[in-house]
Amino acid sequence: MRMAAEPPPEILVFSMLHLYLSQTLGEAEIGAWTTQEERAVAAAFTPLRRAEWLSWRAVVRRELGSPSVRFVYDECGAPSIEGSTLHLAVSHCQGSIAVVLSDTPCAVDIETLDRPFERLASRYLSPAEALLSDKPHWLALVWCAKETLYKFAGRRGLDLLHDLRIEEADFTAGTLVGSICGGDPVVMQSLFLDSRVVVWI
């Protein structure tokens, strides 16, 4: 009697995600990992934005060990690495940068905690979300999480209040669960660092 073939061993696939957090880099490191063309474009920016814009490019090239990495932008203005299967997400604010490199789609947002989130709350915080937590900096965390969801969605015109939702939050684990236009749950990671909050997927 012929025996049935044994099932193949289970194949486990793990997503590899790397998060890089940094202050803006010094001129020497920026000069080593950015192109003359990029520095010429950035010359028109304010000094702070110039340092942030050049620093995230330098961080990506430095971490990949390749000064020849080139960046392209999609129709929503999100950058990607030309000719690479790696996914890229970047964010910057007030002299800080956050970069995610992942083998799956990703998004990241970094914000300072001293922004006037209370004045913005009616634009992005639903009554249900307001009841999820009374922790300090909850408004900052929700804003950052919704910005991350917006970037992850990859399309323009989403409303932070109605289209993007935060359903759960676990401060101990540093996780949030959100949704985009009522779709499947999206799990996010969060971190408070000095005067910043970072959320990433």
Side-chain angles (χ1 to χ4, degrees):
M1 183 176 177
R2 186 175 181 182
M3 300 292 292
E6 291 186 8
E10 184 177 6
I11 299 173
L12 301 179
V13 179
F14 295 94
S15 172
M16 296 298 294
L17 180 148
H18 298 277
L19 170 68
Y20 303 95
L21 300 174
S22 174
Q23 298 297 310
T24 52
L25 305 180
E27 289 187 12
E29 196 164 13
I30 284 176
W33 293 103
T34 59
T35 67
Q36 183 176 356
E37 179 184 7
E38 287 170 338
R39 293 191 294 275
V41 169
F45 302 161
T46 63
L48 185 60
R49 181 166 180 256
R50 180 187 313 132
E52 293 167 357
W53 193 81
L54 292 172
S55 288
W56 75 253
R57 286 162 169 74
V59 165
V60 172
R61 292 188 178 113
R62 182 191 68 194
E63 296 305 321
L64 295 179
S66 175
S68 62
V69 165
R70 295 181 61 84
F71 303 103
V72 292
Y73 290 84
D74 65 17
E75 62 276 7
C76 293
S80 61
I81 301 171
E82 187 176 58
S84 174
T85 59
L86 273 178
H87 295 267
L88 168 66
V90 300
S91 182
H92 47 85
C93 73
Q94 297 299 310
S96 297
I97 60 171
V99 174
V100 172
L101 293 170
S102 177
D103 62 2
T104 59
C106 54
V108 65
D109 193 60
I110 184 169
E111 302 286 348
T112 59
L113 295 176
D114 60 359
R115 290 186 60 184
F117 293 103
E118 294 82 1
R119 289 192 294 177
L120 302 170
S122 63
R123 292 171 41 197
Y124 72 91
L125 186 75
S126 72
E129 290 163 344
L131 293 174
L132 285 176
S133 176
D134 59 359
K135 296 275 189 181
H137 307 308
W138 173 240
L139 297 184
L141 183 60
V142 172
W143 173 271
C144 199
K146 290 199 172 187
E147 284 287 303
T148 303
L149 285 173
Y150 189 97
K151 296 173 184 179
F152 189 70
R155 58 185 187 268
R156 295 184 185 276
L158 294 177
D159 184 272
L160 293 181
L161 181 61
H162 302 290
D163 297 327
L164 306 175
R165 295 285 187 180
I166 305 302
E167 314 286 353
E168 301 174 27
D170 185 332
F171 274 76
T172 302
T175 59
L176 301 105
V177 178
S179 63
I180 302 167
C181 296
D184 293 337
V186 179
V187 179
M188 295 168 278
Q189 305 293 317
S190 65
L191 175 68
F192 288 94
L193 186 66
D194 298 327
S195 60
R196 307 286 191 269
V197 57
V198 186
V199 176
W200 70 96
I201 301 169

